[in-house]
Amino acid sequence: MAAAAGQNIAVVVHRAGDLRLEARPVPEPGPNEVLLRMHSVGICGSDVHYWQHGRIGDFVVKDPMVLGHEAAGTVVKVGSGVTHLKPGDRVAIEPGVPREMDEFCKTGRYNLSPTIFFCATPPDDGNLCRYYKHSASYCYKLPDNVTFEEGALIEPLSVGIHACKRAGVTLGSKVFVSGSGPIGLVNVIVAKMMGAAAVVVTDLSASRLQKAKEVGADFTIQVKNETPQEVASKVEGVLGCMPDITVECTGVQACIQAGIYATRSGGTLVLVGLGPEMVTVPIVNAAVREVDIRGIFRYCNTWPVAIALLASKRINIKPLVTHRFPLEKALEAFETTKRGEGVKVMLKCDPTDQSP
């Protein structure tokens, strides 16, 4: 049944395997918040993981939680202290909002603040709903030539921007991206944008590698049952040299191993994908070759950069969206994502406007 425009419905995970579409009150924005009518919300692998397993590492779903954190919408109401936004403004939402001005915030690395609020990370509710309130400072006005879907895609794009910055991608870099899901793909796009001369991508899926080619990968390698060393040598073979930078987007042990073996001495391996807490890796190989291993946790200070890139048409992320569902069909959309179909599944939350 379709809810009336004034009603708020949300996609809520109650526990592992229990996902529901349910009515929620329309929230009232605080002094420094805005109320948004949500338009487009992407489904992330983490949303699916919370639904399937009820937890990610130490983040456990104890109470019902609204999913969704890749989102854009329209301001419908502003708090008394908000000056930079007004009703009718189209905005992209940065889902991580620091709760206190701690040392991490003071140095500009607010993503590392241990008390940060983050959409759809227990116990914080996400924004896969009709109406959602958010800190106004973390809502960024979208230019007219950037669509709501592009606004929602800034979240995964930000992971690529943060990873490539931490990796030190620069003019002429040779880059190996391991994994060709949405996060692998945004890393391909950003690495090329930042001046990478050659990008090679590996994945098990031929269709995903085809998508990598579409967004600018120079080479693709379909992995079957090769050893990590064999994968590393294939990467070197297609590039004609070992990559300076490896961006590992799967979290799979064998892939992290391949990432170490593949990276040129003195190069950098950035770990983006998250798998089991403990993995066995050839750390001595990395150590004696001075391969720097860096982690990333989400992103910081990326929304203005991403909006500028999208507005200037320097990058195109529209091909990432392969499926669209109205909010009412959220369960079907989640099943589609779980089956690994397409690349990015987008939920359309505004019944009066289902455009991109």
Side-chain angles (χ1 to χ4, degrees):
M1 127 185 165
Q7 272 183 286
N8 190 23
I9 55 172
V11 177
V12 183
V13 61
H14 283 251
R15 64 189 69 79
D18 185 357
L19 189 66
R20 307 181 199 174
L21 202 55
E22 55 190 46
R24 288 269 172 126
V26 175
E28 190 58 41
N32 298 307
E33 295 178 326
V34 290
L35 178 66
L36 304 168
R37 183 172 67 246
M38 301 308 299
H39 185 285
S40 297
V41 182
I43 300 179
C44 173
S46 69
D47 294 317
V48 174
H49 204 278
Y50 280 123
W51 161 44
Q52 291 293 295
H53 303 280
R55 65 182 301 156
I56 293 178
D58 296 333
F59 296 105
V60 183
V61 177
K62 296 190 174 89
D63 298 298
M65 178 181 79
V66 180
L67 290 172
H69 60 264
E70 308 178 357
T74 305
V75 176
V76 287
K77 197 172 185 181
V78 301
S80 55
V82 177
T83 53
H84 74 289
L85 294 172
K86 62 185 187 307
D89 284 347
R90 302 162 59 252
V91 297
I93 302 166
E94 177 171 2
V97 180
R99 286 189 169 95
E100 55 186 311
M101 179 54 75
D102 59 17
E103 294 306 312
F104 294 107
C105 294
K106 287 175 186 171
T107 57
R109 299 181 72 176
Y110 57 86
N111 55 311
L112 303 177
S113 174
T115 57
I116 195 167
F117 165 93
F118 197 90
C119 294
T121 295
D124 303 331
D125 280 330
N127 43 32
L128 192 36
C129 51
R130 285 261 158 84
Y131 292 95
Y132 169 75
K133 69 175 169 118
H134 198 71
S135 166
S137 309
Y138 291 80
C139 293
Y140 300 83
K141 200 168 176 337
L142 291 171
D144 294 340
N145 67 345
V146 177
T147 66
F148 282 112
E149 289 188 359
E150 288 178 296
L153 288 167
I154 290 173
E155 197 279 341
L157 179 61
S158 287
V159 178
I161 294 170
H162 190 58
C164 287
K165 275 188 177 173
R166 295 258 306 146
V169 178
T170 187
L171 283 172
S173 295
K174 305 283 174 60
V175 180
F176 166 28
V177 175
S178 168
S180 193
I183 296 299
L185 295 171
V186 292
N187 274 284
V188 171
I189 292 167
V190 175
K192 292 295 284 187
M193 183 77 242
M194 287 173 73
V199 177
V200 58
V201 186
T202 54
D203 201 279
L204 297 167
S205 157
S207 60
R208 291 201 155 186
L209 290 174
Q210 184 49 44
K211 200 59 146 174
K213 273 264 199 264
E214 273 174 52
V215 301
D218 299 282
F219 306 101
T220 59
I221 298 169
Q222 188 174 1
V223 177
K224 297 197 166 64
N225 45 16
E226 292 88 343
T227 65
Q229 286 97 329
E230 285 167 346
V231 171
S233 106
K234 285 195 168 184
V235 167
E236 180 178 8
V238 297
L239 281 176
C241 61
M242 293 173 85
D244 319 292
I245 289 161
T246 298
V247 185
E248 208 301 297
C249 302
T250 72
V252 174
Q253 176 170 290
C255 298
I256 299 172
Q257 293 170 352
I260 290 176
Y261 291 129
T263 307
R264 170 192 167 151
S265 298
T268 304
L269 166 64
V270 176
L271 301 177
V272 182
L274 302 174
E277 186 177 9
M278 288 291 179
V279 290
T280 303
V281 296
I283 202 79
V284 173
N285 177 289
V288 299
R289 298 195 303 109
E290 297 191 6
V291 171
D292 294 347
I293 300 175
R294 306 191 111 186
I296 69 153
F297 187 64
R298 300 171 180 157
Y299 33 66
C300 57
N301 307 300
T302 54
W303 258 254
V305 175
I307 289 171
L309 285 173
L310 291 167
S312 70
K313 302 297 172 195
R314 292 293 301 278
I315 63 170
N316 180 17
I317 54 175
K318 288 178 181 171
L320 296 180
V321 181
T322 53
H323 292 69
R324 294 176 178 86
F325 291 88
L327 183 59
E328 298 74 29
K329 293 191 174 168
L331 300 176
E332 196 183 322
F334 268 76
E335 291 287 354
T336 303
T337 312
K338 184 182 122 185
R339 288 193 300 266
E341 290 174 30
V343 179
K344 182 57 68 179
V345 175
M346 198 60 75
L347 280 157
K348 312 303 284 185
C349 303
D350 184 346
T352 65
D353 177 17
Q354 303 268 304
S355 65

